[in-house]
Amino acid sequence: MRIVIVKNAEELAAKAAEEALEVIRAKKDAVLGLATGSTPVGMYRKLIEDHKKNGTSYRLVKAVNLDEYIGLSPENDQSYRYFMRKNLFDEIDIDLDNTYIENGLAADEKAECARYDALLRSLPRDLQVLGIGANGHIAFNEPGTPFSEKTHAVSLTENTIEMNSRFFKSKDEVPRRAFTMGPKSIMEAKKILILASGASKADAVFKTVRGEVTEEVPASILQNHPNCVLIADEEAASLL
Ligand code: PGA
């Protein structure tokens, strides 16, 4: 794993955008695996700035997202589909038909996971962007998730519900289940960019980089990836 330590969240955004742009500029029809959460938002802002200033085009780019809440429609302003439009897609020239995410309203969870796995097979990712949870989770893969899991439906842990409630009016509104790419799906990307910002991530970053590779720390699987870059700000990297 290549480790890049930057000063703060602003530098993290710039460095992450630089890594992503390297992939996008090298391949006009790159397939990007994208993530929601607060950490990648700064990087998306930089990509938008670059698109408007330098004209980098996403016309042929395809985007596949990690996860989606079960029970929310794509129009719901708490859905991850909506998040991606608001924070990136509506500000660049990507074709929305080339953007993919699990269907939170799918009636048959198993069938939806199989559909998404088939989609992922047909769209090998050039880059996968990840955040990391304070407990080392990646996407909605919580500690204990088998590394062999592909797309699956999960019940959110109490801790994740609590963390994510900051985006909702109340904790009661946070959906209890979600679809998520599994560790195995994530590892299939050619390159992985994992971003960590703030002191609350320091322990998870330490375990991810220096700890043993264990299902108890989902992000530790990234030690086995041949092309993974971790970008952490000084607070997130403070224990390294
Ligand atoms: P955050 O979430 O970027 O909002 O901190 C990361 C995660 O929990 O995966």
Side-chain angles (χ1 to χ4, degrees):
M1 198 183 302
R2 178 154 63 90
I3 296 157
V4 180
I5 299 174
V6 295
K7 217 170 176 45
N8 50 33
E10 181 61 23
E11 279 189 22
L12 178 85
K15 184 67 194 157
E18 195 182 302
E19 291 279 348
L21 282 168
E22 206 174 284
V23 173
I24 298 159
R25 289 194 180 124
K27 195 173 170 193
K28 291 201 169 348
D29 57 350
V31 179
L32 307 178
L34 299 178
T36 54
S38 349
T39 318
V41 169
M43 177 186 103
Y44 296 149
R45 213 178 303 120
K46 294 280 178 200
L47 293 181
I48 294 165
E49 263 172 44
D50 163 80
H51 167 72
K52 294 196 192 302
K53 201 165 133 221
N54 305 320
T56 305
S57 178
Y58 295 76
R59 218 170 42 82
L60 303 175
V61 165
K62 295 187 171 67
V64 285
N65 260 79
L66 286 171
D67 44 16
E68 178 62 286
Y69 287 121
I70 290 177
L72 299 190
S73 77
E75 293 78 32
N76 186 305
D77 62 7
Q78 297 295 353
S79 73
Y80 286 166
R81 160 74 75 188
Y82 185 94
F83 177 102
M84 289 310 301
R85 287 194 62 163
K86 184 163 146 286
N87 287 290
L88 183 64
F89 297 156
D90 286 352
E91 304 295 329
I92 56 177
D93 63 343
I94 198 165
D95 180 346
L96 288 180
D97 288 343
N98 287 338
T99 65
Y100 305 91
I101 192 163
E102 296 94 333
N103 174 10
L105 295 183
D108 181 340
E109 291 184 1
K110 268 209 156 66
E112 177 57 11
C113 294
R115 180 193 75 83
Y116 212 62
D117 281 336
L119 178 88
L120 293 176
R121 275 196 302 278
S122 72
L123 294 174
R125 279 150 290 153
D126 296 291
L127 178 72
Q128 176 65 60
V129 177
L130 295 175
I132 183 170
N135 63 0
H137 75 211
I138 42 176
F140 277 124
N141 297 290
E142 299 291 356
T145 306
F147 283 155
S148 57
E149 284 272 21
K150 295 180 168 183
T151 307
H152 58 291
V154 293
S155 294
L156 272 49
T157 61
E158 227 8 77
N159 181 51
T160 297
I161 292 168
E162 187 69 48
M163 290 301 295
N164 290 10
S165 65
R166 68 191 195 276
F167 300 112
F168 290 80
K169 280 198 207 85
S170 78
K171 194 174 144 187
D172 291 345
E173 287 186 19
V174 185
R176 270 22 189 188
R177 287 174 66 72
F179 289 115
T180 182
M181 280 191 208
K184 188 164 166 39
S185 339
I186 289 169
M187 287 292 278
E188 283 162 0
K190 287 183 200 129
K191 177 174 180 175
I192 295 180
L193 193 55
I194 178 158
L195 311 177
S197 173
S200 67
K201 305 293 172 68
D203 184 54
V205 166
F206 177 79
K207 288 180 178 150
T208 295
V209 176
R210 301 253 192 275
E212 62 169 319
V213 177
T214 164
E215 289 172 350
E216 290 314 308
V217 182
S220 66
I221 195 178
L222 301 173
Q223 287 183 32
N224 294 340
H225 194 279
N227 190 8
C228 177
V229 185
L230 167 89
I231 311 181
D233 64 16
E234 281 177 358
E235 285 187 1
S238 62
L239 299 178
L240 292 184

